[in-house]
Amino acid sequence: MSDIVGWLDDYFWGAMVVLRVFGVSLLMAVLFGLIGSAAKLSKSRIAKSIASGYTVVFRGTPELLVLLIFYFGSAVTLTHIAQIVDPEIQFVDIPPFWAGALAIALVVGAYMTETFRGAFLGVDSGQIEAARALGISNFKTFVYVRIPQMWRLALPNFGNHMLSLMKDTALISVIGLEEIVFVAEIATTVTVKPFTMYAIVAVIYLAITTVITLVVSGLEKYSNRHLERAR
Amino acid sequence: MDEGGQQPVILLEGVSKFFGDFQALKDIDMAVKRGERIVVCGPSGSGKSTMIRCINRLEEHDKGRILVNGHELTGDVKDIDAVRREVGMVFQSFNLFPHLTVVENLMLAPRLVRKTAKPEAREIAMRYLERVQIPEQADKFPSQLSGGQQQRVAIARALCMNPEIMLFDEPTSALDPEMISEVLDVMVDLARDGMTMICVTHEMGFARKVADLVVFMDQGEIVEQNPPAEFFENPRNERTKLFLSQILTH
Amino acid sequence: MSFDIMLIVDSIPKMLVGIGLTLHLLLLSTVIGLILAIITLLMRISGRWYLAWPAMTYIYVFRGTPILVQIFIIYYGLPQFDFIRESFAWPVLRAPFGCAVVALSLNAGAYVSEIMRGGVLGVDRGLHEAGKALGLKVHQRFIYITTPIAIRLAIPAYSNDCISMLKATALASTVTLMDMTGVARTIVAQTFAPYEIFIAAAIIYLVLTWVIQRGFGLFERRMSRYVKQ
Ligand SMILES: Nc1ncnc2c1ncn2[C@@H]1O[C@H](COP(=O)(O)OP(=O)(O)OP(=O)(O)O)[C@@H](O)[C@H]1O
Ligand SMILES: [Mg+2]
């Protein structure tokens, strides 16, 4: 027990790092998802094909590999550039935090692209026509008719993507981010209690994913409240 | 065979059924003799489906006794199996197995339940498909048939088990108007052959033509039961009158 | 700095050294995962709490934690216990390959049982009732009605899960295995050409993904021939 107590603060700060990466890359992923789905639904063939290239590539490549490409790729590039300025420089890299957040955001953003696209198409076009027939402007139709319903349709998948994103943050330890897996690694070398140390990591992840699941299902209930009476 | 049909093949005594606090059946008594044809009608939610579903134990009744062909329905699996073998059922929504062809739909139960050999099961199946006049559809999938054809397949599927009693739960309600008569024709045909039948239906023409008894249910009770002539010409209960006026003006 | 297309082309064959291990991991863990999933599903729908609860706990834990952490717990963590080192399972759990297969299979089992449950729940209740009314027994209804229909309903989700599994095999490289990602990482360490090497690996993964998707697509078409177009 005493082995664990000494490490609790490290786990705590590690967990804070996890949450920060999660927050940052969730924002980016939503952004990529919105851009991607807008491109897929646009009339431009170029935008469409770029977006489908994006989803095919990032949904078909292991997250770890994407991460490695981003981190080591950018490091090599930056080092080259830096050496032009100062030939003495050995190694420059993007902080693992940002390389990692960007990489997993790109992967999850590819999944979100599909979810948002589906949700957008899922809103009954009859309603859009009804709004138009009532003389409501396109913009207002979008804001008051489409968005509220899209959100309801996208929520279940969106929740799953958040869970994937959360779990993907563990990968960033591979490129040296000092989060909880990293803490467990260090703690293991000192205490020689690897099971205990990694089990704590699992428990922390389980706690966070449980909270996400609960929040999402609460939101789902809320967004479906108008359907409650229907059978 | 008990000649004269003295003993009822279906007997319900004081049957009650609850869904939570809601009482869907209130003290139902009913006796059906061999070869009798009963039509059950009543407003939506009156418990018609619940009652006939209790007869083959798709629902469990909470109070009272149900006897079918001498088997009392308790929790005993043997009795339930026996009853289900002797009672065929046709549903409003057909419930054909979508992944099996028409003839496979018909062969499944004889093969699994009666352990009939495949060629013989097929022979039986084809016989009943001919009886419902769609032998040429044998190797199609249900989704490739019209609603009326699907319901006829469903009837044939139930008949393949050679049941002594047939239950129908609004067999024509899900059909387009032009297909209703093809299904009713098959049912009239069955009635003529002396099948014991309980039909939940609002097809009053059918009731007049074949029913020995019309049973009117409302709010979980049997309000009135009479032979069709009496039932239609001379309804006694106010609720029956109201129901008939609503259904017959359309 | 240069970006060398030829290096990508040249390194693809080298990457193929690792493809055997990748496929081996994928195949073993999908098959074991499938068996685990069926057992878990049956436990869950058994209606008995002492079977359903362990199944639900298993699903909850494995779906709520990163696979990487699961692999580390099994590979680094389990040897902490003497009884495991003395058990019959030690030959499997000592080797990184065994650990990766165990972790991936347990993971697949949890996800796939949920996918199957979705399929089972998607089967129309009326079909069960029709089966009951015809006198079919519980197991007969499960085998002849529920299963074939549930399989069709579950194919798209299962196909996605197999792709996730393929991607998850890359994590084996974190416990020293030389799967495709492991090979790529080794070559990068020697050549310092991360773009070319990793992209070459990514291309092979994409091809494998495409093959899986296509295979299941055809399978689904076959299974759906009875559905109205
Ligand atoms: N599984 C169930 N759970 C709860 N309530 C139920 C259930 N099945 C039926 N009920 C209720 O029991 C009552 C009787 O239902 P039932 O289906 O027998 O009516 P019905 O006469 O067949 O009506 P309909 O003409 O609409 O088919 C209804 O109020 C219904 O809401
Ligand atoms: Mg009904």
Side-chain angles (χ1 to χ4, degrees), chain B residues 53 84 95-96 98-99 143, chain C residues 126-127 129 132 140 144 226:
Chain B
R53 287 159 60 85
R84 286 181 180 162
N95 293 343
L96 294 177
H99 59 298
S143 64
Chain C
L127 300 181
E129 294 189 341
K132 272 191 200 173
Q140 292 174 327
Y144 293 97
Y226 59 79

Side-chain angles (χ1 to χ4, degrees), chain C residues 97-149:
Chain C
F97 181 78
C99 290
V101 169
V102 169
L104 292 173
S105 306
L106 284 169
N107 219 274
Y111 275 92
V112 174
S113 81
E114 282 297 274
I115 290 172
M116 289 175 169
R117 198 171 77 97
V120 168
L121 293 180
V123 177
D124 188 354
R125 234 186 69 203
L127 300 181
H128 285 280
E129 294 189 341
K132 272 191 200 173
L134 287 166
L136 270 55
K137 302 232 165 43
V138 183
H139 68 275
Q140 292 174 327
R141 297 198 297 269
F142 192 77
I143 295 170
Y144 293 97
I145 300 171
T146 308
T147 304
I149 297 172

Side-chain angles (χ1 to χ4, degrees), chain A residues 231, chain B residues 19 22 24 42-51 59 170 202:
Chain A
R231 286 251 231 119
Chain B
F19 291 111
F22 176 75
S44 181
S46 55
K48 309 177 296 289
S49 300
T50 308
M51 181 180 77
E59 305 283 1
E170 307 205 31
H202 290 159

